Structure formats: C-alpha cells, structure tokens
Amino acid sequence: MKKLGLIVMVLLLACTVVFAEGSKDTRTQLKVWESEGVEKDFILWAAAEFEKLHPDVKVVYEPVGSVDSRAKIELDGPAGVGADVFVAPHDHIGALISGGHVLENTDPELNTTNFMPAAVTGATYNGKVYGYPLAIETYAMFYNKDIIAEPPKTWAEVEEFAKGWTDKAQNKYAIVWEVANAYYDYIFMGGFGAPLFGPNGDDRAQHNIDSKAAMEGVSYFKSLRSKILDVPSADMSGDFCNSSFVEGKAAMYIVGPWKISEFSKAGMNYGIAPIPVFPGQKNPPTSFSGIRLAFVSAYSNIPELATEFARFLTTKPILEKRFEMTAQIPPRNDIKIDDPLSNGIMAQAEFATPMPTIPQMGTFWSAMNTAFASVWDGADVTENLKAAAAAMNSAR
C-alpha cells in the first residue's frame, strides 16, 4: 500500500513538471521602457496591438521614466538586462549616440512631409536619424478659469493680479512653476534674447549664460520672488505646484501637456495660453520644445524586431490613439487636432526652440539648476551666472 502511494505521488509530481513546462511562455520577449501614467497605458495598449500582428512575441513593459532611461541603458545595456526599445527626450540623443547606446533609424518615412520638421530635427544628430518621434511638446501657462477668466498677456498683468490674490499664510499665489528647474527657467534666458548654444543650438562656445541678455532675464527672475512668489526654491517642487493648482490656490501654472489628462480627470475648469510677455519684450518668451523619442538599443539581441516595434509606435493610427490616450501632440502633419487645450500648447510652440542635443546639455542642467535655485534664494545674479558659464566652458 505504501509502495502504491509512493508511485502515485511520483506520477503526480511528474505530471506537475510536464504541465509547468508545457505552460511556459515560449514567445520572444521584447522589453520596453517608458514612464508610468498615461504613457504606460498607451504602451500597454500598443503592445497588445503589436502582439496581434506577432503572436510569437511578448512585449514586456518596465516602468522607467523617460528622463532616467539614458543613465539606465548605460548600465543595463552592456550587462545584457536593458530594454530593446526605450523612450527618452530628444536632448539626450547626443550622449546616447556618443556612448554607442542606440541604433540608427533608417525608416524613409521620417524624411517625408508626414512628420513635422521639428520632429525630424529632434531625431537627428550629425546628419543621421536615430530616434522615432512619439510626441512634440513645450510648456505653456495653464490657468484656472474659475479664478481668472482671461489669461494675462504680460507679466505686468500677472504682477497686478498677484496684488489682490497672493496670501502667503494660505499658500495662495498668482502663478507657480518649478523655480529651480532650468527647463522651465530657460524662458528667462530665451525670452530676453540669450539663445542657448547660439541660434542653431549647436555651438558650445555660444552658451550665452553670462551674456547681458541673460543677466537681465535672470535679474527679473530674481525680482519675482519678492513680488509674487515668496517661497524658497527647495519648496517649489512639482508636487507643490501641482497640488496648488489643483486645489485652487494657484491661479496659473507653467507646465507642459503631460498634465492635461490629469487636470481634466480632476474636473478642473482650466485653459492653456502662451506664457506672458516679459517687460520690454514684444512676444511670449522662448520656451524649450521637446520631442519624445523611442530608441532602439544597440544592445538588443532582437534589433530587427525592436526596430519594427519602434516604427509601429510612430505610424499614423497608433499615434492618433496615443493622442487620444495621453493628450500629447503627435509629431505627424497628417494627424489633425483641434481642441482648445492642445491649441494653447501649439500657440506657445510658435515661440519655442528645440532643446539643444549636444552633450554639453548635461552640464547646462546641473550648472543652471544650481544657479537658478541660488539666485531665487537671494544669491548674486552675476556671480552665479559667471560660475555657471565657467562650468560650461570647461565641459567636454
């Protein structure tokens, strides 16, 4: 009897092993890195659509923020555990290519009129195309229509509105943004006539950080703390700005289209307009525009399949669905959009300039994030811009 029981147990164990082996997913794994949130929702949808065309493929999503993917692929790629396709902002392209981390994009469609020129420029480095454009974006001024019916056209109007709205005790402020983030603060350079790395964004000698125009713009930036937003730079985080706007304590918020879905889901009554004109200037300030790009990793063991997936993400019907899910503007000319919120972003985009892609951008972020934070908190403008300029001059 004991012997019979032992035989039954062995048979059951064998069946379990066979079943487990038979149920193992033998499909080719294609790993994708993308940010969480609406971008994740889109990638999961696109993955399911791609798998319908390729039943032998399993697309595996891993949450990696687009701004973090470059540093992660530098480590995980050579180790053999990186993504086959990952998403990054276009200003990372120089470092990605210099490091040999991504493959060239040879898709002939990208050089047709189907894609916006800015998207092609953002995906190109030294005359070669590498990225696959997913979205084009710039930040603008979001405003709460329940607080301020018509958006101010000048910063003088913002300052005037602040006089009757600001209440530091209740954390009420006319306008908020991440004041220690050079991405947003670039308006105080570009808006006063100090283009980063020259008119084409590719001359490291023309960083213009300590130019007369930059000095003027950053001086005005510094003055806004005492005038309208007396909050230390360390407290002006994205979370603080976001909650202030959602809770109705901030009437205006300088941020990008990635927030549209969130604010709409929250039921906010808001609009989007160009950033107000600075004193002495004629047009809204120059903001940074960015292209969200998918890249094929140079370390991928399935480069052909990874390339096919990256191209799939940029096709017209897929990008139309992406806009529907994320509210981020598609970079294709053959996709027409016309809604008030996106139109507000596009209105500011007329005054935007693509973020430079040269490797020295890494030094710009670190040097100018520090400079803007220090100046906001009371440090000398000239001293800090000279220090940032010295860092740029020594950058390689």
Side-chain angles (χ1 to χ4, degrees), residues 20-158:
E21 290 181 348
S23 63
K24 184 179 179 181
D25 194 336
T26 59
R27 292 178 292 173
T28 300
Q29 306 279 300
L30 192 160
K31 186 186 294 185
V32 180
W33 289 346
E34 173 60 297
S35 305
E36 295 192 85
V38 291
E39 293 88 357
K40 172 185 175 180
D41 296 339
F42 163 72
I43 284 293
L44 293 178
W45 174 85
E49 294 299 304
F50 190 75
E51 289 171 0
K52 292 177 183 177
L53 302 175
H54 298 274
D56 58 336
V57 174
K58 173 62 178 177
V59 180
V60 178
Y61 163 81
E62 288 187 358
V64 177
S66 61
V67 296
D68 302 320
S69 60
R70 186 194 77 194
K72 190 168 176 61
I73 200 67
E74 290 172 352
L75 296 174
D76 290 4
V81 294
D84 298 293
V85 176
F86 62 92
V87 177
H90 85 271
D91 61 301
H92 288 194
I93 196 171
L96 286 168
I97 293 163
S98 298
H101 304 301
V102 295
L103 298 181
E104 187 178 347
N105 175 0
T106 58
D107 185 0
E109 188 189 12
L110 192 63
N111 290 314
T112 69
T113 57
N114 288 339
F115 283 86
M116 297 177 182
V120 178
T121 299
T124 303
Y125 190 78
N126 284 343
K128 293 184 178 181
V129 178
Y130 291 87
Y132 298 77
L134 300 177
I136 184 169
E137 59 193 22
T138 190
Y139 40 96
M141 186 181 71
F142 289 53
Y143 63 99
N144 189 325
K145 291 184 176 182
D146 292 334
I147 299 173
I148 184 167
E150 294 294 329
K153 290 182 170 55
T154 68
W155 280 83
E157 293 176 37
V158 174

Side-chain angles (χ1 to χ4, degrees), residues 211-239:
S211 65
K212 181 180 179 181
M215 295 286 183
E216 181 184 0
V218 178
S219 294
Y220 181 68
F221 164 83
K222 180 178 182 178
S223 75
L224 292 175
R225 172 155 182 183
S226 60
K227 291 178 179 178
I228 63 173
L229 187 57
D230 188 14
V231 181
S233 64
D235 293 338
M236 291 299 299
S237 65
D239 288 342

Side-chain angles (χ1 to χ4, degrees), residues 8-343:
V8 171
M9 289 179 63
V10 170
L11 288 173
L12 287 172
L13 180 61
C15 289
T16 301
V17 171
V18 170
F19 177 78
E21 290 181 348
S23 63
K24 184 179 179 181
D25 194 336
T26 59
R27 292 178 292 173
T28 300
Q29 306 279 300
L30 192 160
K31 186 186 294 185
V32 180
W33 289 346
E34 173 60 297
S35 305
E36 295 192 85
V38 291
E39 293 88 357
K40 172 185 175 180
D41 296 339
F42 163 72
I43 284 293
L44 293 178
W45 174 85
E49 294 299 304
F50 190 75
E51 289 171 0
K52 292 177 183 177
L53 302 175
H54 298 274
D56 58 336
V57 174
K58 173 62 178 177
V59 180
V60 178
Y61 163 81
E62 288 187 358
V64 177
S66 61
V67 296
D68 302 320
S69 60
R70 186 194 77 194
K72 190 168 176 61
I73 200 67
E74 290 172 352
L75 296 174
D76 290 4
V81 294
D84 298 293
V85 176
F86 62 92
V87 177
H90 85 271
D91 61 301
H92 288 194
I93 196 171
L96 286 168
I97 293 163
S98 298
H101 304 301
V102 295
L103 298 181
E104 187 178 347
N105 175 0
T106 58
D107 185 0
E109 188 189 12
L110 192 63
N111 290 314
T112 69
T113 57
N114 288 339
F115 283 86
M116 297 177 182
V120 178
T121 299
T124 303
Y125 190 78
N126 284 343
K128 293 184 178 181
V129 178
Y130 291 87
Y132 298 77
L134 300 177
I136 184 169
E137 59 193 22
T138 190
Y139 40 96
M141 186 181 71
F142 289 53
Y143 63 99
N144 189 325
K145 291 184 176 182
D146 292 334
I147 299 173
I148 184 167
E150 294 294 329
K153 290 182 170 55
T154 68
W155 280 83
E157 293 176 37
V158 174
E159 292 182 34
E160 187 62 30
F161 172 80
K163 293 177 182 178
W165 176 261
T166 300
D167 186 336
K168 187 175 180 180
Q170 296 186 48
N171 286 324
K172 288 176 60 178
Y173 300 100
I175 190 168
V176 294
W177 74 97
E178 295 179 48
V179 300
N181 189 333
Y183 174 64
Y184 299 107
D185 291 337
Y186 176 68
I187 59 176
F188 295 94
M189 288 182 60
F192 282 83
L196 183 62
F197 299 127
N200 298 318
D202 59 0
D203 185 355
R204 54 170 294 180
Q206 293 191 66
H207 54 68
N208 285 314
I209 286 174
D210 56 348
S211 65
K212 181 180 179 181
M215 295 286 183
E216 181 184 0
V218 178
S219 294
Y220 181 68
F221 164 83
K222 180 178 182 178
S223 75
L224 292 175
R225 172 155 182 183
S226 60
K227 291 178 179 178
I228 63 173
L229 187 57
D230 188 14
V231 181
S233 64
D235 293 338
M236 291 299 299
S237 65
D239 288 342
F240 173 83
C241 295
N242 203 66
S243 61
S244 297
F245 189 65
V246 172
E247 294 169 10
K249 292 186 176 181
M252 294 164 278
Y253 181 13
I254 298 175
V255 74
W258 48 89
K259 286 293 183 182
I260 290 176
S261 179
E262 178 182 341
F263 295 156
S264 296
K265 288 179 180 178
M268 293 191 67
N269 179 25
Y270 70 102
I272 303 176
I275 299 168
V277 178
F278 287 128
Q281 307 302 312
K282 295 181 179 179
N283 295 314
T286 303
S287 56
F288 273 144
S289 65
I291 310 298
R292 196 178 189 91
L293 298 173
F295 289 97
V296 175
S297 169
Y299 307 101
S300 175
N301 292 323
I302 49 170
E304 295 85 4
L305 186 61
T307 296
E308 184 177 352
F309 181 70
R311 287 178 177 172
F312 174 77
L313 292 178
T314 64
T315 57
K316 182 180 178 182
I318 301 303
L319 284 181
E320 286 176 330
K321 183 65 174 181
R322 190 181 191 281
F323 173 66
E324 179 185 323
M325 296 180 71
T326 68
Q328 295 171 13
I329 298 168
R332 295 185 64 112
N333 287 318
D334 53 0
I335 298 177
K336 302 303 179 184
I337 58 174
D338 186 19
D339 71 85
L341 297 176
S342 296
N343 289 345

